[in-house]
Amino acid sequence: MSGDRTLTTSQLCALLPDVSKATVYRQVGLLADGGLLEVENEQRVRGAVERHYRLRRERAVVDAGAAASVPPEEHRRVFAVAMAALLAEFNAYLDRPGADPAADLVGYRQHAMWLSPDELAALIGELRDVLVRRITNEPSPGRARYLVSPILFPAEQ
């Protein structure tokens, strides 16, 4: 739901075909109750109310204290969900008519680098600065919506 997209729960279910609809509906409810999702608008569809949800970006941040309090198994579960969502987004892209990874400059690379704690902090700050400069771009002719998914963790020596 990044990029200020609004989606219905049904649309989220379509993006996450490997997750049961009941799970998606339950999680959307929990995220809305927790203030991470907000209802952008509602409309009646075949007698039911369909809600369009938007991510509250300012609430969708895990600070260092919260991350430190989560056990490794929970990190593993959250990472798996994030990767499943990323895979669903990528599959949806490839399934679109005219998808052209070469022309769209699609990239999925890994780079191993040796960094001190200070260098790591500087790298994270530099990446954040680069992303923040572009993240507020509005849709316009000539712009395509891209997902950027930085993943950072120490590799084995």
Side-chain angles (χ1 to χ4, degrees), residues 15-33:
L15 287 171
L16 300 167
D18 296 339
V19 180
S20 76
K21 288 184 180 186
T23 297
V24 173
Y25 275 84
R26 184 173 51 252
Q27 293 301 318
V28 166
L30 290 170
L31 292 169
D33 290 346

Side-chain angles (χ1 to χ4, degrees), residues 101-114:
D104 293 333
L105 301 177
V106 169
Y108 34 86
R109 296 165 185 84
Q110 266 187 327
H111 303 283
M113 54 186 76
W114 295 88

Side-chain angles (χ1 to χ4, degrees), residues 3-133:
D4 267 351
R5 284 194 334 183
T6 61
L7 297 171
T8 66
T9 308
S10 295
Q11 290 170 319
L12 285 168
C13 287
L15 287 171
L16 300 167
D18 296 339
V19 180
S20 76
K21 288 184 180 186
T23 297
V24 173
Y25 275 84
R26 184 173 51 252
Q27 293 301 318
V28 166
L30 290 170
L31 292 169
D33 290 346
L36 267 74
L37 296 179
E38 66 183 351
V39 176
E40 174 73 15
N41 63 51
E42 298 179 336
Q43 62 189 41
R44 283 230 173 260
V45 176
R46 293 184 216 98
V49 175
E50 182 178 70
R51 292 179 180 89
H52 287 79
Y53 293 95
R54 176 184 307 282
L55 176 67
R56 293 184 62 193
R57 183 171 294 285
E58 75 280 2
R59 303 281 313 265
V61 176
V62 177
D63 64 22
S69 71
V70 175
E73 282 308 312
E74 184 66 10
H75 280 285
R76 184 173 284 124
R77 189 186 69 71
V78 171
F79 186 79
V81 170
M83 292 302 96
L86 183 60
L87 183 59
E89 289 273 8
F90 191 67
N91 284 332
Y93 159 72
L94 289 176
D95 290 342
R96 286 195 316 243
D100 186 345
D104 293 333
L105 301 177
V106 169
Y108 34 86
R109 296 165 185 84
Q110 266 187 327
H111 303 283
M113 54 186 76
W114 295 88
L115 302 168
S116 70
D118 288 343
E119 292 168 329
L120 176 60
L123 175 66
I124 291 169
E126 292 163 9
L127 291 171
R128 185 178 298 125
D129 291 345
V130 167
L131 294 173
V132 166
R133 284 196 303 269

